[in-house]
Amino acid sequence: MPRLALLQSRSFPSKSEALAHHEPLIRQAAAAGANIVVTQELFLTPYFCGVQDPAAFDLADTLPGPITERLGALAGELGIVLIASLFERRGPGLYHNTAATFDADGSWLGLYRKAHIPQDPGFEEKFFFAPGDSGWPVWTTRFGNIGVLICWDQWYPEAARLMALGGAQLLVYPTAIGWLATEKAALGELQHGAWETVQRGHAVANGCYLAAVNRCGHCGDTEFWGRSFVAGPYGQLLAKASTSDEQILYQDLDYGSLEEVRRLWPFFRDRRIDAYGELTQRWRS
Amino acid sequence: MPRLALLQSRSFPSKSEALAHHEPLIRQAAAAGANIVVTQELFLTPYFCGVQDPAAFDLADTLPGPITERLGALAGELGIVLIASLFERRGPGLYHNTAATFDADGSWLGLYRKAHIPQDPGFEEKFFFAPGDSGWPVWTTRFGNIGVLICWDQWYPEAARLMALGGAQLLVYPTAIGWLATEKAALGELQHGAWETVQRGHAVANGCYLAAVNRCGHCGDTEFWGRSFVAGPYGQLLAKASTSDEQILYQDLDYGSLEEVRRLWPFFRDRRIDAYGELTQRWRS
């Protein structure tokens, strides 16, 4: 069974420090038998979207580039699938929140550019990221068919479904979600519960594994939730990380069991594709 | 705030007995302040879909007909919105699993015909019910905008989303789901957990209330789960009924709070309607 490892980590002041911290973690995970290793969202940088500062664009990388060469070489050396969430400079004035996926031979499978972009106080992402136009690629890797989505995408059943229709056995969400100090007391637990529940629901509806890799610690006014987790095809929590500490979270994945689940509950058989056309409308009234 | 009442009930040998049992329950709920009353799935009959017996078609009602007249009169008399799940004979050899909704003045708002039809041992519904072609109507009632879906629909994020896009503040699912004796020990709690989780996820993704009204007790080889519930827009469980006993489950609904939730988490703002076209495909590979 493939072993998944999620790198729940804090923020670092510089990209070089973040990389110097993560490389040993990736090696440690591989040494512990991990076959698929996933970073948190924008793992090389602090969560810079708290304020709309144009200087933060300097943090972006051109892809492919030195960072993908280095990560691909690491994946190939260790024989792991590596999924890294990066800040991409695609063109002058055109930036994306992007995940790069490398197969276990080190080859670069491609990019997924975050499709759903949030914009609210403390999460000013529409200032930084153009909405992705990479579609819904499912990566055929040595260790399974993987659909990579990113953070705000996790609230959208459409995104999970499209990946599952593309054959995904595992959905992975690099994430940076947390509380604003002003909201935590009143809404904190409700918000965290909603976040976990909606993703567990995607695992049920699509009969697949689902993993969310969140940041921990503070960044500006935001306190990240940690609590990275892996859910199974019944939405059951299989593994869950600490709230505040760095942690490598491991979970073995039994893809064969997905076939059993989908035979008992064949949701894909009965989808009413003749009646879903209005899903592409903004509103129905 | 409108008060919702879910009539979790057992099965009765005849339609007349079921109606004689439910009328006092509906009056009791109204006397307790309920404004919206919902029956379980196919509340007039035993769960006859356990075996493919053509004689069971005799249980169906033509709609509109005496049953809708009687239920509409009751709704009007009590001033309640009444949602009743019925077995409909639409034409010769054409039957549906249908929910009728009555406004608080007794007027019949219309039918929803179950769109997703299951077929597995013990739940032989494709034998009995043609897939619904009523679309995704949202009923504008005196006590809110209500989207009625039925049982197997509950596993489909598409159905919940389409109702929410139509303005639903409350999703209601009359349901008859249970365990086969052969599966209960190994999968029982996982299956129940999945059922509750996926629906709580719909409430989160759509920022709405969601209520599932299940049967209790045994019918043939099936042990129904009971555990009807109401979830709020964070997916939180607000009310939950017994596993094995009949119960009227009440919950007050604060529709105003949905506006607050959707302002903090404006999921509808960011849907990628330009990129969802393949949701109408059966499979993407």
Side-chain angles (χ1 to χ4, degrees):
Chain A
M1 281 195 274
R3 176 166 294 176
L4 174 67
L6 310 182
L7 307 182
Q8 174 173 303
S9 183
R10 65 188 192 278
S11 305
F12 296 86
S14 71
K15 288 161 69 177
S16 59
E17 286 165 280
L19 198 56
H21 180 80
H22 275 79
E23 271 203 17
L25 288 181
I26 294 166
R27 292 180 184 280
Q28 180 185 338
N35 305 111
I36 306 164
V37 178
V38 190
T39 75
Q40 63 181 347
E41 188 181 12
L42 302 168
F43 84 102
L44 286 175
T45 65
Y47 185 72
F48 54 83
C49 310
V51 292
Q52 301 185 30
D53 178 1
F57 288 115
D58 288 340
L59 296 169
D61 287 292
T62 298
L63 309 178
I67 186 64
T68 52
E69 281 176 34
R70 184 154 172 185
L71 294 172
L74 188 61
E77 176 198 334
L78 301 173
I80 58 167
V81 171
L82 180 60
I83 300 166
S85 171
L86 302 166
F87 183 22
E88 178 192 7
R89 182 181 191 278
R90 188 178 182 183
L94 180 59
Y95 298 81
H96 289 284
N97 188 328
T98 299
T101 300
F102 305 90
D103 207 351
D105 63 0
S107 62
W108 183 38
L109 292 171
L111 298 178
Y112 167 75
R113 296 184 172 115
K114 185 172 180 174
H116 301 92
I117 309 294
Q119 177 65 36
D120 53 288
F123 298 85
E124 317 271 353
E125 295 199 18
K126 287 196 195 292
F127 176 76
F128 290 104
F129 309 125
D133 58 349
S134 51
W136 316 98
V138 175
W139 309 118
T140 303
T141 79
R142 189 186 297 173
F143 299 110
N145 300 332
I146 304 175
V148 181
L149 294 161
I150 302 173
C151 203
W152 191 240
D153 290 331
Q154 63 211 174
W155 302 97
Y156 293 84
E158 293 91 342
R161 180 67 100 199
L162 285 159
M163 289 296 191
L165 292 177
Q169 299 165 300
L170 167 67
L171 301 179
V172 167
Y173 294 82
T175 301
I177 190 168
W179 289 304
L180 298 179
T182 50
E183 286 178 11
K184 182 179 177 183
L187 295 174
E189 288 308 316
L190 279 173
Q191 291 183 343
H192 173 265
W195 175 76
E196 198 177 79
T197 299
V198 75
Q199 293 179 85
R200 291 171 56 205
H202 301 332
V204 175
N206 295 293
C208 64
Y209 286 98
L210 184 150
V213 197
N214 196 21
R215 203 173 276 243
C216 60
H218 287 75
C219 222
D221 289 337
T222 301
E223 177 187 350
F224 291 98
W225 291 342
R227 289 186 266 189
S228 303
F229 68 89
V230 184
Y234 291 102
Q236 76 274 39
L237 282 175
L238 300 173
K240 187 166 173 176
S242 148
T243 301
S244 55
D245 296 337
E246 293 196 307
Q247 184 173 343
I248 305 179
L249 189 69
Y250 296 99
Q251 179 60 45
D252 292 341
L253 307 175
D254 178 7
Y255 292 134
S257 72
L258 302 182
E259 179 69 20
E260 292 171 47
V261 172
R262 294 189 188 189
R263 287 184 185 191
L264 285 177
W265 278 346
F267 303 143
F268 291 97
R269 180 192 64 191
D270 296 331
R271 291 179 69 244
R272 289 295 304 274
I273 55 175
D274 59 310
Y276 292 163
E278 291 181 320
L279 287 171
T280 57
Q281 292 189 15
R282 183 67 70 202
W283 195 247
R284 287 179 60 229
S285 59
Chain B
M1 281 194 272
R3 177 167 293 177
L4 174 67
L6 311 182
L7 307 182
Q8 174 174 304
S9 184
R10 66 186 190 280
S11 304
F12 296 87
S14 72
K15 287 161 70 177
S16 59
E17 286 165 281
L19 198 56
H21 181 79
H22 275 79
E23 273 203 15
L25 288 181
I26 293 166
R27 292 181 184 280
Q28 179 185 336
N35 305 110
I36 307 165
V37 178
V38 191
T39 76
Q40 62 182 348
E41 188 182 11
L42 302 168
F43 83 102
L44 286 176
T45 65
Y47 185 73
F48 55 83
C49 310
V51 292
Q52 301 183 32
D53 178 2
F57 287 115
D58 288 340
L59 296 168
D61 287 291
T62 298
L63 309 178
I67 185 65
T68 51
E69 281 176 35
R70 184 152 173 186
L71 294 171
L74 188 61
E77 176 198 335
L78 300 173
I80 58 168
V81 172
L82 181 58
I83 300 166
S85 171
L86 301 166
F87 182 20
E88 179 192 7
R89 181 181 191 277
R90 187 177 183 184
L94 179 59
Y95 298 81
H96 288 285
N97 188 327
T98 298
T101 300
F102 305 89
D103 206 352
D105 63 0
S107 63
W108 183 37
L109 293 170
L111 298 177
Y112 167 75
R113 297 184 171 114
K114 186 172 178 174
H116 301 92
I117 309 294
Q119 177 65 36
D120 53 288
F123 298 85
E124 317 272 353
E125 296 199 17
K126 287 195 195 293
F127 176 76
F128 291 104
F129 309 124
D133 57 349
S134 51
W136 315 99
V138 175
W139 309 118
T140 302
T141 79
R142 190 185 298 173
F143 300 110
N145 301 331
I146 305 175
V148 181
L149 294 161
I150 303 174
C151 203
W152 192 240
D153 290 331
Q154 65 211 171
W155 301 98
Y156 292 85
E158 293 91 343
R161 180 67 100 198
L162 285 159
M163 288 296 190
L165 292 176
Q169 298 164 302
L170 166 65
L171 300 178
V172 167
Y173 294 81
T175 301
I177 190 168
W179 289 305
L180 298 178
T182 49
E183 285 179 12
K184 182 178 177 184
L187 295 174
E189 288 309 315
L190 279 172
Q191 290 183 344
H192 173 265
W195 175 76
E196 197 177 80
T197 299
V198 75
Q199 291 178 86
R200 291 170 57 205
H202 301 331
V204 175
N206 296 293
C208 64
Y209 286 99
L210 184 149
V213 197
N214 196 21
R215 204 173 275 244
C216 61
H218 287 74
C219 222
D221 289 338
T222 301
E223 175 187 351
F224 291 97
W225 291 341
R227 288 186 266 190
S228 303
F229 68 88
V230 184
Y234 291 103
Q236 75 276 37
L237 282 174
L238 299 173
K240 187 166 173 176
S242 147
T243 300
S244 54
D245 297 336
E246 292 196 307
Q247 185 174 341
I248 304 180
L249 189 69
Y250 296 98
Q251 179 61 44
D252 293 340
L253 306 176
D254 178 8
Y255 293 134
S257 73
L258 302 181
E259 179 71 19
E260 292 172 47
V261 172
R262 294 188 188 189
R263 286 183 186 192
L264 284 176
W265 279 347
F267 303 143
F268 291 96
R269 180 192 64 190
D270 296 331
R271 292 179 69 244
R272 290 296 305 275
I273 55 174
D274 60 310
Y276 293 162
E278 291 181 320
L279 288 171
T280 57
Q281 293 189 15
R282 183 66 71 202
W283 194 248
R284 287 179 59 229
S285 60

